[in-house]
């Protein structure tokens, strides 16, 4: 995005057609729309968390970085123009250009945390823990609870990247985090009981 933003700056400086806010803002809006459209396709809430955790994390993180870069590269160009001391200004309607992409980046950050949690559970609740505790059935039950964690997220009846549903998304994440704490507490108690049984059997 850095080279593209620099190219936009050159168009802004040189072009007689695009050297006004009325012409430049719609151009940049179209670019922002294409970026958000691509992210929304790649980070599909109904499928992204079904991928292997490492793959899901990579896709979500890349999407988040692209969205954040759209804003940071704009600010870098703005700073460069200010530092040059020229009379040319570089300040457009940030709400129109970045409100949506910045919100999408925050949602991606939430989804990345979800993927991290799933990855940690996946690694912890593996065959090694079954072998150590001898509680294969109990661990399978916990794994099933972990798998159910994402069901409410996958079934949301709204577009997660739409700011109009910001509060609904926050509620979803709050419930997810509460469920994670509940599973962590159950897992901790389950493991403690398993080791107590092992000790008493010695």
């Amino acid at each position: 995005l850095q080279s593209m933003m620099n190219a936009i700056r050159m168009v802004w400086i040189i072009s007689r057609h695009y050297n006004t806010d009325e012409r430049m803002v719609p151009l940049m809006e179209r670019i922002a729309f294409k970026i958000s459209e691509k992210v929304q396709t790649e980070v599909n809430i109904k499928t992204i968390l079904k991928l292997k955790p490492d793959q899901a994390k990579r896709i979500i993180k890349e999407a988040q970085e692209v969205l954040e870069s759209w804003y940071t590269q704009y600010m870098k160009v703005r700073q460069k123009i200010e530092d040059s001391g020229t009379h040319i200004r570089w300040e457009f309607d940030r709400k129109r250009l970045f409100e949506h992409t910045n919100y999408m980046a925050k949602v991606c950050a939430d989804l990345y945390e979800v993927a991290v949690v799933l990855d940690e559970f996946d690694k912890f609740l593996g065959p090694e823990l079954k072998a150590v505790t001898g509680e294969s059935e109990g661990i399978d039950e916990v794994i099933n609870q972990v798998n159910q964690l994402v069901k409410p997220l996958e079934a949301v009846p709204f577009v997660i990247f739409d700011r109009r549903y910001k509060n609904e998304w926050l509620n979803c994440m709050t419930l997810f985090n509460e469920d994670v704490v509940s599973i962590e507490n159950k897992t901790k108690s389950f493991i403690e009981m398993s080791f107590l049984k092992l000790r008493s059997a010695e």
Side-chain angles (χ1 to χ4, degrees), residues 165-179:
Y165 301 104
K166 178 181 178 181
N167 290 334
E168 287 85 346
W169 177 247
L170 285 173
N171 288 337
C172 285
M173 287 305 301
T174 298
L175 291 172
F176 173 82
N177 289 323
E178 288 174 355
D179 288 342

Side-chain angles (χ1 to χ4, degrees), residues 60-200:
I60 295 167
K61 178 57 72 175
E62 286 175 357
Q64 181 186 346
E65 288 173 350
V66 167
L67 291 162
E68 290 173 345
S69 181
W70 169 239
Y71 179 73
T72 57
Q73 291 303 323
Y74 167 85
M75 294 304 294
K76 284 179 181 179
V77 168
R78 183 176 183 272
Q79 190 62 49
K80 189 183 295 185
I81 290 174
E82 284 189 1
D83 292 345
S84 69
T86 64
H87 68 284
I88 298 169
R89 53 177 287 281
W90 177 268
E91 183 57 80
F92 305 112
D93 188 337
R94 293 192 209 177
K95 184 180 175 70
R96 284 177 65 181
L97 297 180
F98 305 110
E99 184 176 50
H100 182 53
T101 49
N102 285 348
Y103 177 69
M104 288 183 72
K106 289 178 181 176
V107 173
C108 282
D110 289 337
L111 288 175
Y112 184 79
E113 287 305 311
V114 171
V116 167
V117 167
L118 296 177
D119 191 27
E120 289 174 348
F121 273 128
D122 184 59
K123 288 174 179 173
F124 180 69
L125 299 168
E128 294 84 0
L129 186 63
K130 289 182 179 181
V132 170
T133 62
E135 295 284 351
S136 181
E137 186 176 329
I139 291 171
D140 284 339
E141 185 180 332
V142 175
I143 290 172
N144 183 57
Q145 291 176 358
V146 172
N147 292 335
Q148 296 302 313
L149 271 175
V150 298
K151 299 300 182 184
L153 299 180
E154 293 173 342
V156 291
F158 56 87
V159 178
I160 64 171
F161 294 118
D162 190 332
R163 286 189 75 257
R164 291 175 298 177
Y165 301 104
K166 178 181 178 181
N167 290 334
E168 287 85 346
W169 177 247
L170 285 173
N171 288 337
C172 285
M173 287 305 301
T174 298
L175 291 172
F176 173 82
N177 289 323
E178 288 174 355
D179 288 342
V180 168
V181 171
S182 175
I183 292 174
E184 285 175 342
N185 289 335
K186 287 178 183 176
T187 304
K188 183 179 177 183
S189 298
F190 167 75
I191 291 172
E192 286 176 350
M193 288 297 296
S194 297
F195 280 110
L196 283 173
K197 286 180 183 177
L198 287 172
R199 285 174 186 165
S200 62

